Amino acid sequence: SALTNLPTKNTNVPNIKELNNGRFTAPPQWALDKDLAGAVRGLQDVGVIESADMFCDLIQQGRHHRLLKTPNPTLFKEGPDSLRFWQALVLLWSIGLQEKMENPFNKKMKAVAGEAFSKAPGIKALPRSAEKAIEYVVEKDMKGHNEQVCAGLHVIDGLRCSFMVDTVAENIAVGRRLEEQFPVARTKNSHQLDNRSYADRKYNLVFRTTIENIGEVAFLCEVQILMRRYIEIKKIGHLLYEFQR
């Protein structure tokens, strides 16, 4: 079909290290400088904290009413001399920024193909993003404080949504509209002749918007294009598995 004829992967950045949000929006200088007062101001600017008490609860007890559903006191226990401390703050800043981008992102995506817009699951949560950031430090061979502290900016599926379509023609059309309206950093296509299971197309796009009191920001996002029939078959498979158990 037309889907199996598309490339399995296409990347428009020079190398894997460049596939990160810091390429499009400058990392927070306070993290590079280990500036704690700057971190407080930066987290306030993106709406992660509202007061000094909130910041104290965050770094002393690992508590945040919205971003940490379960308190994680180990998150900051190593203190401001540690890499993990600053990595976590950068991730929180990144998540806060993406939360402010979420509404305009969803609005733009619905405008691409509102009838097919299927799911906007919200920004990826801190615990899973932190796990991925640690993995990327090794996977991408990051060196030195400035690279490693920004590992969370390599999590590029925080801002995400999906489109659900019924036909190959619709799938191709949605992909074409995305390519026309947004810069494409990478595409993945698992619709291949030797693939007998679930398949989809994924786009990592550069989404750019202006946020009040912050200015223009740009982050990578992940957009999936799904065939409705594949999802139905996948659900049946899960039901059969549960029944067999």
Side-chain angles (χ1 to χ4, degrees):
S1 75
L3 293 177
T4 58
N5 290 332
L6 295 173
T8 56
K9 183 186 287 188
N10 186 45
T11 304
N12 295 320
V13 293
N15 57 67
I16 192 66
K17 273 193 177 181
E18 296 296 319
L19 197 66
N20 76 89
N21 292 309
R23 177 180 170 88
F24 305 101
T25 291
Q29 190 62 41
W30 47 261
L32 308 183
D33 297 339
K34 299 184 180 180
D35 174 7
L36 202 54
V40 173
R41 291 192 295 271
L43 293 176
Q44 284 180 317
D45 288 344
V46 297
V48 169
I49 61 170
E50 298 167 7
S51 66
D53 286 344
M54 273 189 75
F55 186 71
C56 289
D57 277 351
L58 178 65
I59 63 172
Q60 291 174 3
Q61 301 177 46
R63 289 174 51 191
H64 192 283
H65 68 285
R66 190 177 76 255
L67 301 180
L68 284 164
K69 301 298 184 184
T70 302
N72 185 354
T74 66
L75 198 58
F76 297 98
K77 74 172 185 178
E78 296 173 20
D81 290 330
S82 72
L83 175 66
R84 189 182 181 201
F85 180 95
W86 292 101
Q87 280 180 335
L89 290 182
V90 171
L91 260 175
L92 285 165
W93 172 83
S94 169
I95 290 170
L97 202 51
Q98 289 174 89
E99 285 182 332
K100 289 186 174 292
M101 300 172 74
E102 189 174 18
N103 283 341
F105 169 75
N106 288 336
K107 185 177 179 180
K108 285 278 189 181
M109 290 299 157
K110 286 178 183 176
V112 170
E115 70 285 355
F117 186 84
S118 169
K119 189 178 180 185
I123 306 304
K124 186 179 287 291
L126 176 63
R128 179 59 187 136
S129 293
E131 289 173 4
K132 291 184 74 172
I134 292 169
E135 292 169 9
Y136 287 144
V137 170
V138 177
E139 183 181 315
K140 297 190 177 186
D141 192 27
M142 297 182 195
K143 306 291 187 184
H145 174 79
N146 285 9
E147 275 196 3
Q148 293 180 355
V149 79
C150 295
L153 299 181
H154 290 252
V155 180
I156 59 172
D157 60 349
L159 199 60
R160 53 203 169 138
C161 74
S162 62
F163 292 93
M164 184 92 69
V165 298
D166 293 304
T167 68
V168 170
E170 288 175 315
N171 192 310
I172 297 293
V174 171
R176 187 177 298 118
R177 287 178 217 156
L178 290 171
E179 292 169 14
E180 290 170 351
Q181 296 182 37
F182 304 96
V184 178
R186 182 176 67 181
T187 62
K188 289 183 178 181
N189 171 34
S190 55
H191 292 277
Q192 300 302 316
L193 292 175
D194 58 354
N195 184 2
R196 296 288 183 262
S197 59
Y198 169 84
D200 64 12
R201 288 207 292 157
K202 290 187 179 74
Y203 280 85
N204 291 120
L205 307 171
V206 183
F207 177 71
R208 192 177 302 274
T209 191
T210 300
I211 299 173
E212 188 177 358
N213 299 324
I214 292 177
E216 186 178 84
V217 293
F219 262 56
L220 289 162
C221 62
E222 182 176 279
V223 180
Q224 288 179 290
I225 307 177
L226 309 166
M227 298 297 294
R228 192 181 309 278
R229 187 62 180 152
Y230 274 55
I231 300 302
E232 291 170 353
I233 292 171
K234 188 178 181 182
K235 286 178 180 177
I236 292 170
H238 283 312
L239 288 172
L240 287 172
Y241 174 74
E242 290 298 323
F243 176 75
Q244 290 168 350
R245 289 179 67 192

